[in-house]
């Protein structure tokens, strides 16, 4: 039998919302060797559909049959047996749990599809894991523990883990997000080999990254799977608003004070070295952020970019002998008080999103930005809630206000965490791969808003591996290499 998976008239509600559907009336027969790309806006249902195919969730209506060694079976374990899934949710789970396992152990869990390693692994499998790491230029990561890895390094090992298993069905959810150019190329070269024994189903918001052999394109729109080759009638703007509701008019973001000629740097880093678990990650960095500057930080996976942003935000500390001075007009000027720093310097990152484990609705999540806390610890005034709603409206996510954040897509959460970071008019916004998981229309809107915020006085430090991702206001660039930062433009002669 050439059929690998049979999905018959499946419907599945959103978590905790019996009257709202994540998937509706899905029928799909997947043949071996028929590689597919799933397209659709944020919240359309692509990730849920991949989880369904993997056996991680099961329908309330209809059924799914997987063709395993014993023929067609409807038990979710049959789906887990023949498939492997790599997704942002999987990566967030490893980050949230903080399991202190090595990269080698992480790879070896792929053979049995368990989150942790529960038994001794045969020498042959050890060699296979090392060979896969070698082909992906990831051998040094085998001895690194998961909490010490960058976003891109962890994503790379999760992809290697799935490839090692040689599954009949390989499910990839925005697989290349966070990978630098070199590792993205190495991964797609391995994926080209894997397609000979694995049927690949991959979701993406970046069609330019699809392999040429992934010929079948299926669109998911509001939980419905369109026929092969049919594109949605909705515009990208309409697809962003899955509920069909219109957002109320948005309020402007309050601009910052205009700079003066003798202003001190907002951030001044002097001889800064940062250790994580006794390992020196950043080395003797000197750098300044001045009024009117908006920085792009580039560098390979694991070079130290994310640690640098966490240092600027006050989440990592400079070792003795170095200093980090902050002059934040919105907090009254020069400050070393962590509470003021966390209000004036906001960080938006995959890691911050992954570690936000509270079960809140979207409005509660955004309101936590008033104090920059993980969770809510006080009641917010009517004015504060109204301002939170206004910022959500500006980001076209006001229709999500009452929804649990556990039911939202990665792209929807991206917009909410940006809205959260804007409350209280911070001076500096640090953005670590903020466009990962965003569909094309959302990316355009997101970056256009960053340009407006910069014009209003907010200062940006932006990290991305893709040169096409980034607001047009970015006017300074620095390269991070092995924990050392080097300015690679010098437009002002500094």
């Amino acid at each position: 039998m050439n059929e690998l998976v049979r999905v018959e008239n499946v419907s599945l509600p959103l978590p905790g919302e019996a009257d709202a559907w994540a998937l509706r009336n899905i029928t799909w027969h997947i043949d071996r060797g028929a590689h597919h790309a799933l397209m659709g806006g944020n919240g359309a249902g692509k990730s849920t559909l991949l989880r369904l195919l993997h056996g991680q969730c099961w329908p309330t209506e209809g059924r799914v049959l997987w063709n395993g060694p014993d023929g067609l079976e409807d038990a979710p374990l049959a789906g887990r047996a023949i498939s492997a899934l790599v997704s942002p949710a999987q990566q967030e789970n490893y980050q949230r749990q903080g399991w202190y396992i090595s990269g080698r152990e992480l790879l070896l869990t792929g053979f049995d599809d368990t989150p942790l390693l529960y038994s001794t692994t045969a020498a042959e499998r050890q060699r296979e894991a090392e060979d896969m790491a070698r082909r992906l230029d990831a051998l040094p990561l085998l001895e690194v523990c998961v909490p010490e890895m960058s976003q891109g390094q962890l994503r790379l090992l999760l992809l290697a883990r799935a490839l090692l298993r040689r599954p009949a069905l390989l499910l990839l959810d925005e697989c290349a997000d966070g990978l630098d150019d070199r590792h993205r190329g190495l991964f797609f070269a391995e994926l080209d080999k894997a397609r000979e024994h694995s049927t690949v189903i991959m979701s993406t918001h970046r069609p330019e990254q699809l392999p040429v052999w992934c010929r079948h394109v299926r669109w998911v729109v509001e939980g419905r799977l369109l026929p092969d080759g049919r594109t949605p009638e909705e515009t990208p703007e309409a697809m962003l608003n899955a509920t069909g509701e219109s957002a109320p008019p948005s309020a402007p973001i309050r601009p910052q004070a205009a700079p003066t000629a003798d202003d001190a740097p907002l951030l001044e880093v002097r001889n800064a070295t940062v250790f994580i678990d006794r390992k020196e990650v950043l080395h003797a960095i000197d750098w300044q952020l001045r009024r009117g500057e908006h920085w792009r930080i580039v560098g390979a996976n694991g070079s130290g970019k994310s640690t640098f942003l966490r240092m600027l935000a006050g989440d990592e500390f400079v070792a003795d002998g170095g200093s980090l001075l902050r002059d934040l007009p919105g907090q009254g000027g020069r400050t070393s008080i962590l509470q003021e720093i966390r209000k004036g310097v906001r960080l938006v990152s995959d890691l911050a999103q992954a570690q936000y484990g509270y079960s809140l609705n979207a409005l509660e999540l955004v309101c936590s930005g008033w104090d920059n806390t993980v969770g809510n610890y006080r009641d917010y005034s009517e004015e504060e809630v109204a301002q939170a709603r206004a910022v959500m409206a500006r980001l076209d996510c006001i229709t999500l206000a009452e929804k649990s954040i556990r039911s939202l897509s990665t792209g929807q959460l991206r917009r909410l965490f940006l809205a959260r970071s804007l409350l209280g008019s911070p001076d500096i916004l640090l953005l670590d791969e903020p466009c990962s998981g965003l569909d094309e229309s959302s990316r355009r809107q997101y970056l256009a808003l960053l340009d407006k915020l910069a014009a209003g006085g907010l200062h940006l430090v932006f990290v991305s591996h893709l040169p096409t991702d980034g607001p047009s206001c970015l006017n300074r660039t620095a390269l991070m290499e092995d924990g050392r930062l080097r300015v690679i433009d010098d437009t002002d002669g500094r």
Side-chain angles (χ1 to χ4, degrees):
M1 180 184 292
N2 195 43
E3 189 177 45
L4 184 60
V5 184
R6 183 186 302 173
V7 182
E8 297 180 340
N9 199 32
V10 161
S11 293
L12 179 68
L14 288 168
E17 299 186 39
D19 297 329
W21 295 96
L23 299 176
R24 294 188 284 184
N25 306 118
I26 302 287
T27 295
W28 190 11
H29 293 186
I30 302 172
D31 291 334
R32 297 181 190 276
H35 310 296
H36 285 77
L38 290 178
M39 307 286 288
N42 292 137
K46 303 183 302 299
S47 296
T48 303
L49 181 53
L50 291 178
R51 290 175 58 234
L52 179 80
L53 296 175
H54 185 46
Q56 278 191 351
C57 55
W58 43 93
T60 54
E61 298 178 8
R63 64 175 183 166
V64 183
L65 298 171
W66 293 271
N67 190 9
D70 300 321
L72 289 172
E73 300 180 70
D74 62 359
L77 284 177
R80 299 291 295 271
I82 71 166
S83 67
L85 169 66
V86 181
S87 69
Q90 177 194 40
Q91 180 161 339
E92 288 180 7
N93 185 55
Y94 273 98
Q95 294 169 319
R96 187 178 300 120
Q97 298 296 337
W99 288 317
Y100 217 75
I101 61 173
S102 69
R104 183 185 304 276
E105 291 170 318
L106 177 62
L107 286 193
L108 295 175
T109 65
F111 288 107
D112 297 318
D113 194 27
T114 56
L116 299 174
L117 195 61
Y118 297 113
S119 60
T120 303
T121 306
E124 182 181 355
R125 287 186 168 182
Q126 295 268 4
R127 288 192 293 272
E128 288 179 31
E130 288 193 6
D131 185 53
M132 178 60 71
R134 183 178 298 107
R135 299 202 300 269
L136 292 175
D137 191 23
L139 272 177
L141 296 180
L142 296 184
E143 311 310 322
V144 177
C145 287
V146 167
E148 299 170 3
M149 294 179 189
S150 72
Q151 302 290 317
Q153 289 172 327
L154 179 54
R155 177 63 59 89
L156 183 67
L157 286 193
L158 290 173
L159 292 168
R161 174 184 181 272
L163 292 172
L164 263 180
R165 194 171 174 213
R166 296 172 62 89
L169 182 63
L170 181 57
L171 307 167
L172 302 173
D173 192 357
E174 300 292 342
C175 61
D177 278 356
L179 297 183
D180 58 38
D181 288 342
R182 172 171 168 72
H183 289 100
R184 190 183 309 116
L186 291 172
F187 165 70
F188 277 110
E190 289 301 314
L191 186 62
D192 189 57
K193 301 173 188 175
R195 70 187 174 99
E196 299 299 327
H197 54 75
S198 295
T199 300
V200 180
I201 311 291
M202 57 193 308
S203 75
T204 183
H205 292 302
R206 300 179 187 272
E208 70 275 9
Q209 292 185 358
L210 286 174
V212 294
W213 45 261
C214 196
R215 296 185 178 91
H216 301 280
V217 176
R218 302 294 299 268
W219 280 81
V220 183
V221 179
E222 296 185 2
R224 300 183 186 276
L225 184 67
L226 301 189
D228 193 0
R230 182 177 297 178
T231 58
E233 295 178 357
E234 294 86 347
T235 64
E237 287 73 20
M239 289 175 58
L240 282 174
N241 189 353
T243 64
E245 301 172 20
S246 59
S250 59
I253 304 295
R254 185 171 69 242
Q256 303 289 327
T260 60
D262 58 351
D263 273 327
L266 279 74
L267 298 175
E268 186 170 12
V269 180
R270 300 174 181 170
N271 194 38
T273 296
V274 171
F275 290 84
I276 298 179
D277 291 327
R278 301 183 181 181
K279 178 183 177 182
E280 189 172 331
V281 178
L282 300 182
H283 314 290
I285 289 177
D286 293 299
W287 177 81
Q288 290 183 345
L289 171 64
R290 291 185 170 275
R291 289 294 189 96
E293 292 183 340
H294 306 285
W295 286 81
R296 180 191 289 273
I297 310 296
V298 299
N301 292 138
S303 60
K305 303 183 302 297
S306 297
T307 302
F308 178 66
L309 294 189
R310 292 200 306 273
M311 177 190 74
L312 298 181
D315 294 337
E316 302 289 350
F317 298 98
V318 176
D320 191 31
S323 64
L324 170 50
L325 304 177
R326 301 173 177 90
D327 194 317
L328 307 175
Q331 301 301 317
R334 180 67 62 88
T335 182
S336 58
I337 299 173
L338 186 59
Q339 182 179 6
E340 294 179 350
I341 292 169
R342 289 182 60 79
K343 288 184 178 182
V345 183
R346 299 297 182 90
L347 172 62
V348 179
S349 71
D350 284 347
L351 182 60
Q353 181 171 315
Q355 293 178 336
Y356 207 102
Y358 285 73
S359 294
L360 307 174
N361 66 33
L363 179 59
E364 290 169 334
L365 169 68
V366 174
C367 282
S368 72
W370 284 114
D371 303 313
N372 200 6
T373 56
V374 179
N376 294 332
Y377 300 95
R378 66 179 178 87
D379 294 328
Y380 301 102
S381 68
E382 291 184 5
E383 181 181 357
E384 287 174 324
V385 172
Q387 289 188 41
R389 286 183 173 276
V391 173
M392 293 175 70
R394 187 164 187 176
L395 281 168
D396 276 356
C397 54
I398 187 61
T399 57
L400 305 175
E402 306 306 322
K403 294 184 179 295
S404 166
I405 63 173
R406 296 289 153 250
S407 69
L408 302 180
S409 72
T410 298
Q412 289 170 326
L413 286 171
R414 285 283 184 273
R415 298 204 300 273
L416 291 175
F417 272 85
L418 177 60
R420 176 183 180 273
S421 72
L422 297 178
L423 294 186
S425 297
D427 299 285
I428 300 167
L429 190 59
L430 313 173
L431 301 129
D432 193 356
E433 297 287 352
C435 293
S436 61
L438 292 178
D439 59 47
E440 183 179 356
S441 183
S442 294
R443 285 199 304 274
R444 291 198 306 267
Q445 181 186 34
Y446 194 108
L447 297 175
L449 176 59
L450 292 180
D451 276 323
K452 291 179 182 178
L453 293 168
L458 185 64
H459 292 76
L460 309 180
V461 182
F462 191 97
V463 166
S464 175
H465 289 296
L466 295 173
T468 54
D469 285 354
S472 60
C473 66
L474 300 179
N475 53 20
R476 305 297 307 278
T477 306
L479 172 66
M480 184 72 76
E481 291 182 299
D482 297 324
R484 292 177 170 82
L485 190 70
R486 176 169 59 90
V487 175
I488 58 177
D489 69 341
D490 201 8
T491 56
D492 293 27
R494 292 196 293 271

